[in-house]
Amino acid sequence: HVQLVESGGGSVQPGGSLTLACAVSGFPIDRSCVGWFRQSAGKEREWIASIYRPGGNTFAADSVKGRFAISQDNAKNTVSLQMNSLKPEDTAVYYCAATYGIRADYSRGSSYDVWGQGTQVTVST
Protein backbone atom coordinates (compact mmCIF):
# COMPACT_ATOMS: atom_id res chain seq x y z
CA HIS A 1 0.00 0.00 0.00
CA VAL A 2 1.65 3.22 -1.20
CA GLN A 3 1.34 6.07 1.23
CA LEU A 4 2.87 9.48 1.84
CA VAL A 5 2.27 11.15 5.19
CA GLU A 6 3.36 14.71 5.89
CA SER A 7 4.07 16.05 9.35
CA GLY A 8 5.69 19.06 10.99
CA GLY A 9 3.32 21.82 9.96
CA GLY A 10 2.14 24.47 12.37
CA SER A 11 2.18 28.16 13.17
CA VAL A 12 5.32 30.24 13.37
CA GLN A 13 6.23 33.91 13.48
CA PRO A 14 7.90 35.62 10.51
CA GLY A 15 11.60 34.83 10.46
CA GLY A 16 11.04 31.50 12.17
CA SER A 17 11.76 27.98 11.00
CA LEU A 18 9.87 24.73 10.52
CA THR A 19 10.84 21.32 9.25
CA LEU A 20 8.31 19.27 7.34
CA ALA A 21 8.70 15.52 6.96
CA CYS A 22 7.25 13.19 4.36
CA ALA A 23 7.19 9.55 5.41
CA VAL A 24 7.16 7.28 2.37
CA SER A 25 5.82 3.76 2.69
CA GLY A 26 5.06 0.99 0.23
CA PHE A 27 7.12 2.79 -2.38
CA PRO A 28 10.32 1.66 -4.14
CA ILE A 29 13.27 3.72 -3.00
CA ASP A 30 15.27 3.44 -6.19
CA ARG A 31 14.73 5.69 -9.16
CA SER A 32 11.98 7.93 -7.92
CA CYS A 33 11.49 11.61 -7.29
CA VAL A 34 9.88 13.18 -4.25
CA GLY A 35 8.71 16.76 -4.38
CA TRP A 36 7.14 19.37 -2.17
CA PHE A 37 4.36 21.64 -3.37
CA ARG A 38 2.21 24.21 -1.63
CA GLN A 39 -1.14 25.82 -2.21
CA SER A 40 -2.54 28.86 -0.48
CA ALA A 41 -6.11 30.10 -0.56
CA GLY A 42 -7.11 31.42 -3.95
CA LYS A 43 -3.82 30.52 -5.60
CA GLU A 44 -2.65 27.73 -7.84
CA ARG A 45 -0.46 24.95 -6.55
CA GLU A 46 3.20 25.94 -6.52
CA TRP A 47 6.21 23.69 -6.81
CA ILE A 48 8.78 24.18 -4.03
CA ALA A 49 11.53 21.58 -4.28
CA SER A 50 12.31 18.04 -5.41
CA ILE A 51 14.89 15.37 -4.76
CA TYR A 52 15.91 12.37 -6.83
CA ARG A 53 16.17 9.07 -4.96
CA PRO A 54 18.46 7.48 -4.08
CA GLY A 55 21.12 9.74 -5.65
CA GLY A 56 20.03 12.86 -3.79
CA ASN A 57 20.15 15.48 -6.56
CA THR A 58 18.03 18.40 -5.39
CA PHE A 59 16.14 21.19 -7.12
CA ALA A 60 14.37 24.23 -5.67
CA ALA A 61 12.18 27.04 -6.89
CA ASP A 62 13.76 30.49 -7.07
CA SER A 63 11.18 31.77 -4.59
CA VAL A 64 12.61 29.59 -1.81
CA LYS A 65 16.27 29.15 -2.76
CA GLY A 66 18.51 30.05 0.11
CA ARG A 67 15.66 29.65 2.62
CA PHE A 68 14.30 26.13 2.07
CA ALA A 69 16.26 22.91 1.69
CA ILE A 70 15.07 19.43 0.75
CA SER A 71 16.85 16.34 2.01
CA GLN A 72 16.30 12.63 2.46
CA ASP A 73 16.98 9.94 5.01
CA ASN A 74 17.03 6.71 3.04
CA ALA A 75 17.29 4.58 6.18
CA LYS A 76 14.04 6.08 7.46
CA ASN A 77 12.48 6.45 4.01
CA THR A 78 11.73 10.07 4.78
CA VAL A 79 12.10 13.27 2.78
CA SER A 80 12.30 16.52 4.73
CA LEU A 81 11.83 20.18 3.88
CA GLN A 82 13.75 22.54 6.14
CA MET A 83 12.19 26.00 5.98
CA ASN A 84 14.04 29.01 7.37
CA SER A 85 13.39 32.75 7.37
CA LEU A 86 9.70 32.10 6.90
CA LYS A 87 7.52 34.89 5.54
CA PRO A 88 3.75 35.45 5.74
CA GLU A 89 3.55 34.64 2.03
CA ASP A 90 4.85 31.13 2.81
CA THR A 91 1.51 30.41 4.50
CA ALA A 92 -0.07 27.49 2.65
CA VAL A 93 -0.94 23.82 2.77
CA TYR A 94 2.22 21.91 1.94
CA TYR A 95 2.05 18.59 0.09
CA CYS A 96 4.64 15.98 -0.69
CA ALA A 97 4.35 13.86 -3.80
CA ALA A 98 6.28 11.02 -5.38
CA THR A 99 6.85 9.54 -8.82
CA TYR A 100 7.26 6.00 -10.05
CA GLY A 101 10.58 6.42 -11.79
CA ILE A 102 12.71 9.45 -12.54
CA ARG A 103 10.88 12.31 -14.26
CA ALA A 104 12.72 15.13 -15.99
CA ASP A 105 9.97 17.67 -15.35
CA TYR A 106 10.07 17.52 -11.57
CA SER A 107 8.43 20.92 -11.16
CA ARG A 108 5.09 19.90 -12.66
CA GLY A 109 2.44 18.42 -10.44
CA SER A 110 1.23 16.19 -13.26
CA SER A 111 4.60 14.37 -13.17
CA TYR A 112 3.79 12.90 -9.75
CA ASP A 113 1.86 9.70 -9.14
CA VAL A 114 1.15 9.71 -5.42
CA TRP A 115 0.29 12.61 -3.09
CA GLY A 116 0.10 13.08 0.64
CA GLN A 117 -2.82 14.65 2.45
CA GLY A 118 -1.06 17.95 3.15
CA THR A 119 0.00 19.84 6.25
CA GLN A 120 -0.83 23.45 7.09
CA VAL A 121 1.91 26.02 7.60
CA THR A 122 0.89 29.43 8.92
CA VAL A 123 3.34 32.32 9.22
CA SER A 124 1.96 35.30 11.13
CA THR A 125 2.67 37.65 14.02
Side-chain angles (χ1 to χ4, degrees):
H1 176 63
V2 176
Q3 191 174 18
L4 303 178
V5 179
E6 302 98 335
S7 61
S11 296
V12 64
Q13 292 187 343
S17 298
L18 281 175
T19 301
L20 305 183
C22 177
V24 182
S25 61
F27 206 90
I29 192 174
D30 56 326
R31 295 187 60 75
S32 66
C33 178
V34 176
W36 284 96
F37 292 77
R38 67 185 179 188
Q39 188 165 22
S40 53
K43 294 186 178 181
E44 294 191 354
R45 183 175 57 197
E46 177 187 9
W47 170 71
I48 299 301
S50 296
I51 187 166
Y52 282 164
R53 289 154 55 91
N57 288 1
T58 61
F59 313 90
D62 289 342
S63 60
V64 302
K65 275 182 181 176
R67 298 191 301 124
F68 292 10
I70 189 171
S71 62
Q72 63 183 350
D73 184 333
N74 289 336
K76 296 181 179 179
N77 218 12
T78 300
V79 173
S80 297
L81 184 69
Q82 174 68 43
M83 305 186 296
N84 300 321
S85 302
L86 283 162
K87 306 173 182 180
E89 51 264 43
D90 293 319
T91 295
V93 178
Y94 284 70
Y95 299 89
C96 68
T99 68
Y100 294 116
I102 295 295
R103 304 287 171 84
D105 200 349
Y106 46 77
S107 66
R108 293 185 62 178
S110 58
S111 295
Y112 293 79
D113 302 295
V114 183
W115 291 79
Q117 82 288 353
T119 186
Q120 176 71 46
V121 171
T122 302
V123 184
S124 66
T125 56

